[in-house]
C-alpha cells in the first residue's frame, strides 16, 4: 500500500499547520515544540516567516529557509510522523 502524500499545507497564526493528504486525511501539525528547540528552527518563531515560507517541498511539510525554493535548504518534517499523530 502506498503512503498518502501531502498535497497542501495551510499555516495558521498560532504556529500550527493544517496538512492535507491525498487520501482525504487532514492533520494539524503543531510546530511550537520544534520552534522551542531553537537552532535551525529559530527563524520559524517569526510569524511572518513561518507563514510565508511554509510550503510542500520534498513531498512533505517544509519551510523554505533560503527563499530560493531550494529543496536542499529547507526544514522539512517526516510525512509519516505527521500522518501517524492523533
Amino acid at each position: 500500500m502506498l503512503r498518502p502524500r501531502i498535497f497542501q499545507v495551510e499555516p495558521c497564526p498560532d504556529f500550527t499547520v493544517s496538512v492535507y493528504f491525498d487520501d482525504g486525511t487532514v492533520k494539524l501539525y503543531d510546530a511550537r515544540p520544534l520552534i522551542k528547540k531553537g537552532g535551525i528552527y529559530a527563524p520559524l518563531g517569526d510569524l511572518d516567516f513561518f507563514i510565508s515560507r511554509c510550503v510542500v517541498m520534498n513531498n512533505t511539510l517544509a519551510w523554505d529557509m533560503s527563499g530560493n525554493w531550494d529543496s536542499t535548504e529547507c526544514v522539512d518534517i517526516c510525512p509519516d510522523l505527521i500522518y501517524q499523530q492523533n
Side-chain angles (χ1 to χ4, degrees):
M1 182 174 149
L2 294 175
R3 277 185 265 153
R5 295 180 58 138
I6 294 172
F7 72 91
Q8 182 180 351
V9 293
E10 184 178 339
C12 303
D14 63 353
F15 296 98
T16 62
V17 182
S18 296
V19 181
Y20 298 84
F21 290 84
D22 63 2
D23 70 348
T25 301
V26 179
K27 297 287 185 167
L28 187 64
Y29 179 77
D30 184 353
R32 291 172 288 199
L34 192 66
I35 294 166
K36 284 182 183 177
K37 290 182 179 183
I40 64 169
Y41 308 112
L44 302 181
D46 176 273
L47 185 58
D48 289 334
F49 187 95
F50 180 84
I51 291 174
S52 67
R53 300 288 183 92
C54 185
V55 297
V56 176
M57 193 178 288
N58 299 327
N59 297 313
T60 191
L61 165 62
W63 285 270
D64 177 13
M65 303 306 276
S66 68
N68 295 323
W69 295 92
D70 183 342
S71 64
T72 65
E73 296 181 18
C74 71
V75 169
D76 56 9
I77 309 300
C78 175
D80 293 338
L81 176 77
I82 299 168
Y83 193 82
Q84 293 171 2
Q85 74 180 14
N86 292 330

